[in-house]
């Protein structure tokens, strides 16, 4: 018995040493583009990219470099609530005030409450909410859970296939190993047609994380119970809590989180302005991060 434990203990140690050396290898291979991106590349961050590419350093390097390029132009950490607050008016995507049983942040998505037409702004809003979910993760957690409520959803309110693909690509390519599970709660029959196409955009790892949940299905109910305390879980997802989205209250919370985020990234207050001034990138110095990012 002892020798078996000893063997498994050694193999875990070996795995851990191998992982450490791969992290070092990946760090040496990547040349971050600015101080902020350097701060983004924590060991935990590099581990997620390695994990997503089955510990293949070359593939992980390619993936990470794509993200660094994307972050340097899209600047997700600089998006402020006032820029995308209109997207949040109906509560179509917001951070829940409860966690799952493991203490992970929960994002609630209600695509039937779509209220805008700019696909770019919708994606920007979602990226902001993903960054916000990460900002609010407990220290021992790296992943979030998505609860998607299909009430009011129809093919006419659904996003175009291209937009769905772009969204999936951002999540898969630039937030690897950040999603623990996405619950598709009680999707209507018609969603199957949409899903048949969209599922081809998912990589195998993400596909495994998508769970279809139906309130009348015993397995579904048990799955939800295993992840959530039904006292916290809203009735919209088969729990006992009453779900009320208050845009004004949520906005106050997000403004506080913007300050927390700016401090974390080491930005001064100027970056919280509307960002509509005309100074080009040549004039504006690259912001310097003073604190490790919540990556």
């Amino acid at each position: 018995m002892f020798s078996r434990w000893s063997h498994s203990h050694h193999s875990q140690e070996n795995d851990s040493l191998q992982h450490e050396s791969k992290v070092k290898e990946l760090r040496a291979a990547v040349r971050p583009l600015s101080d902020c991106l350097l701060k983004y590349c924590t060991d935990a961050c590099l581990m997620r990219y390695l994990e997503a590419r089955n510990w293949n350093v070359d593939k992980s390097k390619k993936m990470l470099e794509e993200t660094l390029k994307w972050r340097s132009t899209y600047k997700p950490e600089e998006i402020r609530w006032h820029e995308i607050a209109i997207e949040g008016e109906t509560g179509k995507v917001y951070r829940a005030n409860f966690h799952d049983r493991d203490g992970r942040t929960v994002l609630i998505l209600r695509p039937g409450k779509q209220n805008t037409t700019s696909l770019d702004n919708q994606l920007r809003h979602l990226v902001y909410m993903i960054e916000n979910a990460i900002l609010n993760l407990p220290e021992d957690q790296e992943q979030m859970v998505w609860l998607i409520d299909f009430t009011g959803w129809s093919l006419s309110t659904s996003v175009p296939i291209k937009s769905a693909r772009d969204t999936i690509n951002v999540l898969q390519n630039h937030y690897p190993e950040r999603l623990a599970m996405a619950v598709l709660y009680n999707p209507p029959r018609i969603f199957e047609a949409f899903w048949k196409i969209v599922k081809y955009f998912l990589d195998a790892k993400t596909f495994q994380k998508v769970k279809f949940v139906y309130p009348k299905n015993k397995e579904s109910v048990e799955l939800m119970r295993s992840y959530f305390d039904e006292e916290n879980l809203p009735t919209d997802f088969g729990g006992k809590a009453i779900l009320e989205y208050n845009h004004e209250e949520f906005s106050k919370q997000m403004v506080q989180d913007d300050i927390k985020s700016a401090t974390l990234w080491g930005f001064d207050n100027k970056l919280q302005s509307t960002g509509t001034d005309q100074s080009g990138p040549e004039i504006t110095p690259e912001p310097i991060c003073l604190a490790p990012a919540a990556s």
Side-chain angles (χ1 to χ4, degrees):
M1 176 70 190
F2 175 76
S3 66
R4 201 185 310 161
W5 178 85
S6 168
H7 176 72
S8 72
H9 183 64
H10 281 307
S11 75
Q12 279 172 349
E13 271 186 2
N14 286 342
D15 280 354
S16 164
L17 287 171
Q18 276 183 326
H19 290 175
E20 269 178 46
S21 80
K22 297 242 175 180
V23 166
K24 281 180 184 160
E25 203 182 323
L26 180 57
R27 187 174 293 289
V30 171
R31 290 279 164 268
L33 318 171
S34 72
D35 285 359
C36 273
L37 295 177
L38 188 61
K39 295 293 183 189
Y40 173 74
C41 294
T42 60
D43 282 359
C45 172
L46 299 188
M47 295 263 283
R48 281 191 295 276
Y49 282 82
L50 285 160
E51 179 81 36
R53 289 294 176 262
N54 296 317
W55 299 90
N56 177 313
V57 175
D58 288 338
K59 287 180 180 175
S60 305
K61 174 179 183 272
K62 188 171 183 285
M63 186 187 196
L64 181 55
E65 282 176 341
E66 287 297 318
T67 294
L68 295 179
K69 205 184 295 177
W70 176 77
R71 288 190 79 93
S72 67
T73 54
Y74 202 86
K75 300 188 186 304
E77 73 286 354
E78 289 183 32
I79 305 170
R80 293 291 171 259
W81 176 250
H82 67 79
E83 298 166 28
I84 43 90
I86 187 171
E87 297 289 340
E89 282 178 3
T90 56
K92 65 187 176 196
V93 183
Y94 67 99
R95 179 164 56 79
N97 60 0
F98 61 90
H99 295 84
D100 76 349
R101 289 190 190 275
D102 289 323
R104 291 182 284 223
T105 306
V106 175
L107 280 189
I108 290 178
L109 293 87
R110 301 189 288 178
K113 292 196 176 284
Q114 186 53 268
N115 62 326
T116 59
T117 53
S118 165
L119 300 173
D120 288 345
N121 279 351
Q122 288 168 14
L123 181 58
R124 208 167 163 71
H125 175 233
L126 181 63
V127 165
Y128 174 89
M129 290 316 309
I130 292 171
E131 290 278 327
N132 183 268
I134 293 167
L135 182 73
N136 285 284
L137 282 171
E139 279 196 8
D140 60 338
Q141 285 297 351
E142 295 187 49
Q143 295 186 314
M144 67 188 86
V145 174
W146 286 14
L147 289 179
I148 306 172
D149 170 18
F150 281 90
T151 306
W153 185 89
S154 68
L155 280 177
S156 64
T157 60
S158 82
V159 293
I161 294 293
K162 182 190 176 300
S163 174
R165 188 182 63 198
D166 291 348
T167 305
I168 288 166
N169 284 344
V170 165
L171 181 67
Q172 286 183 162
N173 300 341
H174 304 315
Y175 295 95
E177 300 302 313
R178 281 301 194 185
L179 185 68
M181 174 175 74
V183 170
L184 275 52
Y185 194 83
N186 207 19
R189 257 297 183 43
I190 193 82
F191 179 74
E192 286 171 23
F194 186 73
W195 176 246
K196 268 183 183 152
I197 302 167
V198 168
K199 69 180 180 187
Y200 290 108
F201 306 141
L202 299 176
D203 63 34
K205 284 194 173 197
T206 310
F207 186 77
Q208 298 292 321
K209 294 172 180 178
V210 176
K211 311 287 181 197
F212 280 79
V213 168
Y214 298 95
K216 293 189 171 71
N217 175 304
K218 191 163 171 275
E219 275 176 38
S220 286
V221 173
E222 280 169 13
L223 176 85
M224 290 302 275
R225 280 204 186 124
S226 70
Y227 277 94
F228 297 97
D229 177 346
E230 54 182 6
E231 297 299 323
N232 296 335
L233 192 66
T235 50
D236 311 55
F237 297 100
K240 293 180 177 174
I242 301 299
L243 178 66
E244 278 179 14
Y245 175 74
N246 181 322
H247 184 60
E248 213 172 298
E249 285 305 310
F250 190 72
S251 293
K252 283 180 194 164
Q253 218 179 325
M254 293 302 101
V255 170
Q256 289 305 309
D257 278 356
D258 282 350
I259 296 166
K260 191 161 108 180
S261 170
T263 307
L264 186 74
W265 287 98
F267 293 148
D268 62 20
N269 292 330
K270 276 187 292 194
L271 282 168
Q272 294 184 47
S273 70
T274 52
T276 51
D277 60 318
Q278 295 307 306
S279 62
E282 302 82 14
I283 305 162
T284 315
E286 188 66 49
I288 292 170
C289 284
L290 307 173
S295 60

